């Protein structure tokens, strides 16, 4: 009778341990799934922004080609490139830098800078990429709610 009771207790203990471990595993796997989905969404948003930025670069090159076709020299070409600002680009005349930002989340944007070139032929190249980087646009708010021991030590 005593051996039957001890065996039953071990069996109950083993089942209880298996249930607890399975619940811990379930919680961990749900957490991993949420994190994987967030990562996938962020990655998809980044690559969508890269696609949009590539399209904008292509539009800028096509526009620069039309400017090149209707101008006869480099001075007129560079003078006409100031009209890129009307298409939503930022333009710095002195450094010949064309830039734009593509936002892909609440706190991140893709920043692109390219130098406008005067091509030797009508086939280009019209742009040379200088910067293609992700910038953080959010503000960092540190967690200062944790209590810290502040009593001074006297020597």
């Amino acid at each position: 009778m005593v051996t039957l009771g001890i065996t039953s207790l071990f069996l109950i203990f083993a089942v209880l341990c298996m249930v607890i471990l399975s619940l811990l595993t379930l919680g961990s796997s749900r957490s991993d799934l949420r994190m994987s989905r967030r990562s996938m969404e962020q990655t998809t948003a980044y690559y969508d922004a890269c696609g949009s930025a590539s399209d904008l670069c292509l539009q800028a090159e096509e526009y620069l080609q039309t400017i090149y076709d209707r101008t006869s020299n480099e001075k007129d070409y560079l003078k006409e490139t100031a009209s890129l600002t009307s298409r939503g680009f930022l333009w710095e005349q002195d450094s010949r830098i064309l830039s734009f930002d593509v936002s892909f989340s609440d706190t991140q944007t893709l920043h692109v800078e390219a130098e406008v070139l005067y091509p030797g032929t009508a086939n280009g190249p019209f742009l040379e990429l200088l910067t293609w980087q992700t910038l953080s646009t959010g503000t960092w708010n540190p967690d200062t709610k944790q209590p810290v021991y502040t009593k001074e030590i006297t020597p």
Side-chain angles (χ1 to χ4, degrees), residues 16-33:
L16 185 63
C17 286
M18 288 173 50
V19 168
I20 290 172
L21 287 175
S22 66
L23 289 174
L24 289 173
T25 302
L26 178 65
S28 176
S29 64
R30 281 186 179 175
S31 167
D32 289 346
L33 178 64

Side-chain angles (χ1 to χ4, degrees), residues 31-45:
S31 167
D32 289 346
L33 178 64
R34 273 194 309 270
M35 186 174 60
S36 296
R37 283 186 179 155
R38 274 191 237 140
S39 177
M40 181 184 69
E41 289 168 1
Q42 184 71 13
T43 302
T44 301

Side-chain angles (χ1 to χ4, degrees), residues 22-92:
S22 66
L23 289 174
L24 289 173
T25 302
L26 178 65
S28 176
S29 64
R30 281 186 179 175
S31 167
D32 289 346
L33 178 64
R34 273 194 309 270
M35 186 174 60
S36 296
R37 283 186 179 155
R38 274 191 237 140
S39 177
M40 181 184 69
E41 289 168 1
Q42 184 71 13
T43 302
T44 301
Y46 172 76
Y47 283 114
D48 288 344
C50 285
S52 297
S54 295
D55 290 342
L56 286 171
C57 285
L58 183 62
Q59 290 173 11
E61 279 203 335
E62 289 171 351
Y63 186 68
L64 288 170
Q65 185 167 12
T66 61
I67 293 173
Y68 180 81
D69 292 340
R70 64 174 189 240
T71 57
S72 59
N73 59 26
E74 185 175 359
K75 183 179 178 184
D76 292 338
Y77 172 78
L78 291 175
K79 190 175 174 183
E80 289 280 328
T81 54
S83 63
L84 284 166
T85 56
S86 67
R87 296 183 170 260
F89 296 103
L90 298 175
W91 171 245
E92 296 175 22

Side-chain angles (χ1 to χ4, degrees), residues 98-154:
L98 174 78
S99 63
F100 59 91
D101 293 328
V102 178
S103 179
F104 63 93
S105 78
D106 295 342
T107 59
Q108 290 183 319
T109 62
L110 182 64
H111 178 70
V112 178
E113 289 182 354
E115 181 180 2
V116 173
L117 305 172
Y118 184 73
T121 65
N123 295 332
F126 295 95
L127 291 176
E128 179 182 344
L129 283 176
L130 301 175
T131 304
W132 187 285
Q133 67 182 18
T134 303
L135 298 178
S136 177
T137 57
T139 56
W140 180 62
N141 296 321
D143 182 15
T144 58
K145 295 178 180 85
Q146 222 172 18
V148 179
Y149 187 71
T150 60
K151 185 175 179 181
E152 294 182 24
I153 299 174
T154 56

